[in-house]
Amino acid sequence: MATKNKKPTKKRLPRSAYNREEISAIFARFEEARPEPKGELAHVNPYTLVVAVALSAQATDIGVNRATKDLFKVADTPEKMLALGEEKVGEYIKTIGLWRNKAKNVIALSQKLVDDFDSVVPQTREELVTLPGVGRKTANVVMSMAFGIPTMAVDTHILRIGTRMKMAPAKTPDDVETILMRIIPEEYLYHAHHWLILHGRYTCVARKPKCEACIVADLCKSKEKTCDVPAPIIPIIDQEIPI
Ligand code: SF4
């Protein structure tokens, strides 16, 4: 008996607690405060960015920058990194967590770039994730910072903010990414990733959010808000963003 073609079911994701106007208001504030947000990982070209992001897992940007400062002076291309070799790379990055495995990945991803991509960092996510040590988050950062493609690289800060603010209250980075990419207005999408990371790193911090210094406190719907703030200054329109 012939089976009916079933339409692929779309995964149901939790709704954002904010309507379109509220989301726009939040990102307008971020834009006003930091018109040109910059990533804090030092790099000199797309290749060194890939290496820096791959090294940054479970490490701070400051720690990675300290280690790569000298490394990138001697190895800013895949060929130079291969000539340096795994052992020497390891010596440069010894201060970073999981450095042995990361040195291995840096050499392996450099070899893959030489073998399969003519030593040029690819621009698509599909290609980037074929590089050893490069996952979806790293690929998103590289696409955004090296090639100007709007992406949402969900790190620990964005995952926390998504749930805490109820902006994207999902459990996994992939689901948070999907929700944020849907609800953030296009004009803010390119910088949104950096605004959220910086907001999480310096204001909406993990232990005790600094709500009294928060520029979106009046709009925030978090139960963890630690200070009284005036009612939202924009009208709340009863219109949920369809997710
Ligand atoms: S008000 Fe507090 S909880 Fe809400 S976004 Fe700001 S810092 Fe985070």
Side-chain angles (χ1 to χ4, degrees):
M1 196 170 72
T3 51
K4 278 186 186 171
N5 277 343
K6 270 190 181 174
K7 272 189 186 173
T9 48
K10 215 172 164 190
K11 187 177 178 186
R12 284 182 72 87
L13 294 174
R15 279 172 171 261
S16 172
Y18 299 81
N19 65 36
R20 222 175 275 280
E21 285 72 17
E22 290 166 329
I23 291 285
S24 284
I26 287 170
F27 283 94
R29 301 258 183 97
F30 287 148
E31 183 177 48
E32 205 180 326
R34 288 191 176 103
E36 290 292 329
K38 295 268 184 296
E40 295 178 343
L41 271 180
H43 60 284
V44 295
N45 55 27
Y47 168 68
T48 50
L49 178 64
V50 175
V51 173
V53 185
L55 294 178
S56 71
Q58 296 176 47
T60 64
D61 288 358
I62 295 172
V64 173
N65 291 345
R66 207 178 294 135
T68 56
K69 191 168 157 257
D70 291 331
L71 175 65
F72 292 161
K73 276 184 199 155
V74 293
D76 59 357
T77 65
E79 286 85 356
K80 289 182 195 170
M81 199 65 82
L82 290 173
L84 200 60
E86 188 180 320
E87 208 179 308
K88 287 251 172 61
V89 171
E91 283 170 22
Y92 280 99
I93 65 168
K94 246 181 187 157
T95 48
I96 306 175
L98 310 173
W99 64 273
R100 278 197 182 83
N101 206 32
K102 287 176 179 175
K104 215 175 252 136
N105 279 338
V106 168
I107 292 299
L109 77 83
S110 302
Q111 190 67 59
K112 177 96 178 161
L113 282 170
V114 170
D115 292 346
D116 295 353
F117 297 101
D118 288 333
S119 303
V120 177
V121 175
Q123 300 200 12
T124 68
R125 187 179 293 118
E126 290 68 30
E127 291 172 308
L128 281 164
V129 295
T130 66
L131 302 174
V134 174
R136 186 179 177 92
K137 192 188 82 165
T138 301
N140 280 343
V141 174
V142 173
M143 287 165 70
S144 165
M145 285 175 68
F147 305 121
I149 302 165
T151 59
M152 181 56 63
V154 176
D155 72 344
T156 175
H157 297 299
I158 298 184
L159 190 63
R160 180 180 70 253
I161 292 175
T163 308
R164 180 187 275 164
M165 288 183 74
K166 301 188 206 161
M167 191 184 278
K171 290 196 171 68
T172 67
D174 284 5
D175 287 349
V176 170
E177 177 185 335
T178 304
I179 296 171
L180 291 175
M181 289 298 286
R182 282 187 200 165
I183 65 172
I184 297 172
E186 215 177 317
E187 68 263 37
Y188 298 121
L189 211 45
Y190 177 61
H191 287 314
H193 154 242
H194 280 136
W195 283 324
L196 289 173
I197 287 182
L198 294 170
H199 183 59
R201 192 174 282 171
Y202 298 113
T203 308
C204 198
V205 293
R207 274 212 190 143
K208 190 169 180 282
K210 300 173 182 171
C211 303
E212 64 292 341
C214 176
I215 57 170
V216 295
D218 57 327
L219 301 165
C220 174
K221 299 186 179 182
S222 174
K223 281 188 185 149
E224 296 175 51
K225 206 149 71 170
T226 57
C227 63
D228 286 334
V229 286
I233 56 170
I234 57 158
I236 305 295
I237 297 163
D238 188 24
Q239 176 202 356
E240 294 251 27
I241 293 163
I243 290 171

